[in-house]
Amino acid sequence: QLAISIENARRYERTEHSKRESLALYEAAQTISSTLNQDELMQVVMSKACEALGLSRATLVLQNDDGQLAVVAISGLNEAGPSEVLEAAQTNEFARQLAQSILQGGEPIVLEDTSQLPPEGLELAERWNVKSLLGVPLRVRDTVVGALFVDEPGKARRFTPEEIRLIGSIGQQAAIAIENTGLLADRERRIAELATLDQIGRAVTSTLDLEQVLNAIMQHINSQFRVEAGSLLLVEDDGLLHFKIAL
């Protein structure tokens, strides 16, 4: 009878844990899908990842177009500003190797005791008070595009398989959402470029006055690239470039 009661209690605990995990994942999915702004999205992802495990710090690493890794956001900073932490994370060889191993292997990494790390890793862990660390891949279809790390400053802990799976699922949702915001941004940028070309075309055909045409071209170019000033030079009969207009 006692054995049956214990087994029933364990089943109940597993069921409740599964419910909490499903609820956390659902809430994360709803929140992550609620924004199309990539900066806001990254903050939401880190917030939900920390909330799911009751942690206070998260770090997002993404692969840029050149294949280089970049720490793009860190939450839960207390003692240092974001720029200082980002610089330290970018220049630390162990941090880069850790992120690279997730991108190449496509599997989560768990560091339960950072005191056993090699010197460069130990230096970074002590500097930012990292005792234990969980890192999961951000995967879009068959491609790993980044990594999500979570930890609690000053506290060591063991990450259960369920917790690793939960953060991994949040990471996968995040990767898809980040890709979608990037695709949307590319689409909007392309539409803006086509609109600028159309406006320049209209300006060119609306007048035979060269100065007015060049002035209109520079205004549209400055607006498209969001710059305060620009200059336009033309090759004259002497084969040299000459300033024609500056805005």
Side-chain angles (χ1 to χ4, degrees):
Q1 187 69 35
L2 179 60
I4 295 175
S5 298
I6 293 175
E7 180 59 25
N8 288 338
R10 287 175 176 172
R11 286 179 180 176
Y12 176 78
E13 184 179 350
R14 287 195 295 268
T15 300
E16 289 301 304
H17 184 87
S18 179
K19 287 180 180 179
R20 290 194 298 270
E21 183 179 324
S22 297
L23 179 60
L25 193 55
Y26 172 77
E27 291 178 346
Q30 290 293 101
T31 308
I32 288 172
S33 63
S34 68
T35 179
L36 292 175
N37 180 283
Q38 194 167 85
D39 290 335
E40 291 180 4
L41 174 61
M42 290 189 292
Q43 294 301 320
V44 166
V45 169
M46 293 187 297
S47 173
K48 285 301 175 183
C50 288
E51 184 181 310
L53 299 192
L55 304 176
S56 64
R57 183 163 59 193
T59 304
L60 263 177
V61 178
L62 295 179
Q63 196 169 27
N64 59 29
D65 294 336
D66 298 327
Q68 301 297 313
L69 293 174
V71 180
V72 295
I74 298 178
S75 69
L77 301 176
N78 295 318
E79 300 175 358
S83 59
E84 182 182 347
V85 178
L86 285 171
E87 181 180 358
Q90 298 280 30
T91 56
N92 185 273
E93 181 62 25
F94 179 81
R96 286 200 299 271
Q97 290 177 356
L98 195 63
Q100 190 67 52
S101 65
I102 291 181
L103 262 70
Q104 292 177 346
E107 297 293 335
I109 284 181
V110 178
L111 302 178
E112 292 186 343
D113 183 5
T114 58
S115 66
Q116 304 302 313
L117 293 176
E120 191 162 27
L122 184 59
E123 184 274 331
L124 188 69
E126 290 179 344
R127 184 176 181 182
W128 304 118
N129 206 15
V130 180
K131 301 300 182 182
S132 299
L133 183 71
L134 168 61
V136 299
L138 304 183
R139 189 192 306 275
V140 179
R141 292 178 289 277
D142 295 328
T143 303
V144 179
V145 298
L148 170 64
F149 296 91
V150 292
D151 77 292
E152 181 62 36
K155 292 184 179 180
R157 64 169 294 168
R158 290 182 178 274
F159 295 98
T160 67
E162 293 78 15
E163 290 174 332
I164 296 171
R165 183 175 63 248
L166 175 58
I167 296 302
S169 297
I170 292 176
Q172 186 160 348
Q173 292 178 347
I176 295 171
I178 289 171
E179 183 191 44
N180 289 340
T181 58
L183 292 174
L184 178 63
D186 289 342
R187 179 174 178 272
E188 292 178 341
R189 185 163 50 249
R190 182 56 180 161
I191 291 173
E193 289 172 354
L194 291 174
T196 298
L197 289 174
D198 178 65
Q199 291 167 350
I200 290 175
R202 292 174 182 272
V204 169
T205 58
S206 66
T207 179
L208 295 177
D209 186 295
L210 179 61
E211 185 174 344
Q212 289 184 21
V213 170
L214 297 180
N215 186 72
I217 290 173
M218 284 309 305
Q219 286 180 343
H220 290 308
I221 290 176
N222 289 353
S223 175
Q224 171 64 30
F225 289 97
R226 298 180 182 179
V227 296
E228 295 182 359
S231 301
L232 193 149
L233 297 83
L234 294 178
V235 177
E236 298 285 351
D237 294 337
D238 58 6
L240 299 176
L241 284 171
H242 294 264
F243 275 100
K244 287 298 181 180
I245 191 169
L247 290 178

